[in-house]
């Protein structure tokens, strides 16, 4: 079968492209998804992400290679295996990043990607309660909900503590003032997840020019000389091929987009030779430049009630559930990551370089890979941090020429001195904030790491032993002008090939300061415009 556009991956970006490219009715669009539909109620309930955390039906459940700087641990890397992709299973915190993040994209040879250039696309995708303004959009498909006024009362204690120490306050991390403490926004609507699948794809499914194929695992992109002509997939054990008149667009994410390119013969020729894959195009940067945010949590016992108290009993859970059913409000209607902010680790920093999360619930992710948000058996909360712009760079590489083998993921965490220095800065910052009078007055003890961890060396060791990904993998098919160091140009076209683009987090030249989901949505909105302009 032949379509104008074939989109590989119905994730956060792919769902937007499927909607935008099919909206005019002139183009036939095929959307391929390796997983199933997002029909379970748990995809709609915000707290439902906990049910998907270790669910192999909807989650690829990838792991990194052993990380030398993290005590040789394999770091968990969940990825959505369902319509909506990781945007269907994430914690929904909506942060664009700092303006200079995108200005750095533009400075990397990508004219048209500065913050001034991409702000209209952020505004286009949003339906914000503040309506249309300089920084927000009021009529976009993705609904944004500020959690201010709805968060657990203990979050106010965190904000007061930051105020007592003289840190700035941000009313809106996506507004003119990024730096400081505040309450996060989430992409929800009326207490339900507002994913690109729900907001973009579901309303478009009735269009006769849009076809969605589920359980279709991409084997490779097909080429005629140096033009992408179609795609081969395996669906329910059967190999199927589809032809593309105009373009093949890869939206499989920072792990699987470079994997698909490598399986298709578009990568470093030495890698392809090792796996006996015929060379289509030598592009050494495919799979390189991988980046991620790495975080660690500190656990505290409180002398006032927290979400632990509400979630630790069946009666408390019943009350929260009843409130959600009746009002679509309460703890089940929002992210567990409620307060936090962006801070400078020291006075030498030109911009905020650390992100903090204040969580009114303390829980530990079990070591046996079983999903759990079971609270600690005391009134507790946690505070965690991650550096905003780590400089460590890793890579994605196919394990074999079999598409069913997961790619090898090596983020190469903590491989630069800057990243190590920022671990110490973040650890010191959290300890400093916890000494604020407001927070000291409600804290019984620091449970983990505890007072035995005090020196810089001990803090770094705690981080090495306990840190994990925040699941912001990006950059593995970076956008840029240098063919040796990048994979796509500023039009998101793969260097040296016709009819092939990439529209997902893999094109980030550098990771953004904060949660990456909002930036992926923006890339998809702008990518759709670039494709339609060429059409």
């Amino acid at each position: 079968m032949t379509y104008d556009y074939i989109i590989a991956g119905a994730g956060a970006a792919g769902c937007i492209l499927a909607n935008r490219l099919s909206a005019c009715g002139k183009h036939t669009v095929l959307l391929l998804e390796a997983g199933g539909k997002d029909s379970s109620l748990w995809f709609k309930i915000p707290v439902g992400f906990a049910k998907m955390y270790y669910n192999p039906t909807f989650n690829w459940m990838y792991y990194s290679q052993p990380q030398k700087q993290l005590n040789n641990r394999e770091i968990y890397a969940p990825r959505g295996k369902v319509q909506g992709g990781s945007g269907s299973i994430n914690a929904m915190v909506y942060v664009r990043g700092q303006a200079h993040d995108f200005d750095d994209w533009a400075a990397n040879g990508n004219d048209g990607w500065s913050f001034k250039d991409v702000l209209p696309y952020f505004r286009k995708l949003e339906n914000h309660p503040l309506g249309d303004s300089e920084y927000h959009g009021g009529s976009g498909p993705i609904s944004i909900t500020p959690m201010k006024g709805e968060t657990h009362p203990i979050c106010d204690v965190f904000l007061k503590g930051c105020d007592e120490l003289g840190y700035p306050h941000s009313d809106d991390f996506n507004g003119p003032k990024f730096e400081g403490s505040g309450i996060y926004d989430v992409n929800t609507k009326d207490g339900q997840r507002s994913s690109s699948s729900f907001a973009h794809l579901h309303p478009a499914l009735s269009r006769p020019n849009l076809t969605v194929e589920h359980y279709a695992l991409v084997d490779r992109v097909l080429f005629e000389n140096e033009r992408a002509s179609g795609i081969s997939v395996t669906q329910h054990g059967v190999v199927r091929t589809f032809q593309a008149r105009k373009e093949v667009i890869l939206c499989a994410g920072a792990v699987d987009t470079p994997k698909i390119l490598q399986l298709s013969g578009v990568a470093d020729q030495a890698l392809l030779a090792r796996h006996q894959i015929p060379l289509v195009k030598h592009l050494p940067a495919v799979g390189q430049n991988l980046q991620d945010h790495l975080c660690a949590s500190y656990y505290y016992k409180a002398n006032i009630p927290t979400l632990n108290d509400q979630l630790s009993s069946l009666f408390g859970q019943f009350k929260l559930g009843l409130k959600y059913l009746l009002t679509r409000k309460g703890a089940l209607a929002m992210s567990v990551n409620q307060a936090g902010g962006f801070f400078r680790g020291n006075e030498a920093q030109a911009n905020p370089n650390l992100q903090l999360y204040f969580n009114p619930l303390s829980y530990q992710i079990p070591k046996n890979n079983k999903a759990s948000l079971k609270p600690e058996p005391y009134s507790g909360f946690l505070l965690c941090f991650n550096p905003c712009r780590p400089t460590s760079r890793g890579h994605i590489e196919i394990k074999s020429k079999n598409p069913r083998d997961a790619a090898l993921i090596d983020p190469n965490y903590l491989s630069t001195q800057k990243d190590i220095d920022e671990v110490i800065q973040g650890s010191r910052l959290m300890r400093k904030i916890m000494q604020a009078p407001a927070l000291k007055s409600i804290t019984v003890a620091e449970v983990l790491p505890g007072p035995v961890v005090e020196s810089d060396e001990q803090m770094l060791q705690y981080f090495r032993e306990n840190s994990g990904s925040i699941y912001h993998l990006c950059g593995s098919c970076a956008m840029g002008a240098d063919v040796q160091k990048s994979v796509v140009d500023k039009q998101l076209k793969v260097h040296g090939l016709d009819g092939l683009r990439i529209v997902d987090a893999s094109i980030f030249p550098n990771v953004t300061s904060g949660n990456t989901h909002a930036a992926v949505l923006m890339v998809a909105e702008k990518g759709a415009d670039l494709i339609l302009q060429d059409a």
Side-chain angles (χ1 to χ4, degrees), residues 64-76 292-296 411-415 420 423 460-469:
S64 77
Q65 295 297 287
Q67 293 298 288
K68 180 181 178 182
Q69 300 297 327
L70 303 183
N71 285 18
N72 286 317
R73 291 184 296 129
E74 296 178 0
I75 304 302
Y76 188 43
D292 191 18
H293 287 138
L294 193 63
C295 77
N412 198 26
Y413 293 120
L414 293 190
S415 56
I420 291 173
V423 167
L460 178 59
Q461 188 59 31
Y462 176 78
F463 194 90
R464 291 190 195 278
E465 294 173 356
N466 295 278
S467 58
S469 171

Side-chain angles (χ1 to χ4, degrees), residues 211-374:
T211 302
V212 182
E213 295 282 356
H214 295 95
Y215 305 107
L217 179 70
V218 173
D219 296 324
R220 60 192 176 97
V221 178
L222 306 175
F223 290 92
E224 293 179 1
N225 297 318
E226 291 191 341
R227 177 175 182 81
S229 60
I231 208 157
S232 174
V233 306
T234 299
Q235 186 180 41
H236 305 302
V238 177
V239 176
R240 302 181 68 189
T241 58
F242 302 95
Q243 301 300 314
R245 293 187 192 91
K246 295 180 182 293
E247 294 189 21
V248 173
I249 307 155
L250 300 183
C251 302
V255 175
D256 287 313
T257 284
K259 174 188 168 184
I260 291 171
L261 286 176
Q262 291 167 359
L263 290 171
S264 305
V266 181
D268 184 88
Q269 57 187 359
L271 171 67
L272 299 177
R274 287 204 306 273
H275 293 286
Q276 297 181 317
I277 296 173
L279 176 68
V280 172
K281 189 71 178 179
H282 172 60
L283 278 182
V286 171
Q288 303 300 312
N289 194 50
L290 180 67
Q291 301 158 61
D292 191 18
H293 287 138
L294 193 63
C295 77
S297 298
Y298 281 40
Y299 294 78
Y300 296 90
K301 186 175 183 179
N303 58 24
I304 62 173
T306 70
L307 268 183
N308 287 20
D309 301 276
Q310 293 174 274
L311 290 173
S312 60
S313 70
L314 289 176
F315 180 67
Q317 294 172 29
F318 172 78
K319 286 178 64 178
L320 288 174
L322 184 63
K323 180 176 182 179
Y324 179 76
L325 288 173
L326 294 176
T327 67
R328 289 287 191 268
K329 294 183 181 294
L332 305 188
M334 63 183 78
S335 177
V336 293
N337 302 310
Q338 296 181 2
F342 297 86
F343 300 81
R344 301 174 199 239
N346 57 40
E347 294 180 357
Q349 303 299 323
N351 300 287
N353 67 320
L354 299 168
Q355 181 177 9
L356 266 62
Y357 295 93
F358 182 86
N359 194 322
L361 171 74
S362 65
Y363 61 94
Q364 293 200 51
I365 298 170
K367 305 298 184 185
N368 59 357
N369 293 0
K370 298 293 184 183
S372 175
L373 275 182
K374 185 177 180 180

Side-chain angles (χ1 to χ4, degrees), residues 88-103:
S88 288
I89 67 171
N90 67 2
M92 296 157 295
V93 173
Y94 185 85
V95 175
R96 295 169 177 169
Q98 301 185 68
H100 79 91
D101 296 335
F102 304 100
D103 292 342

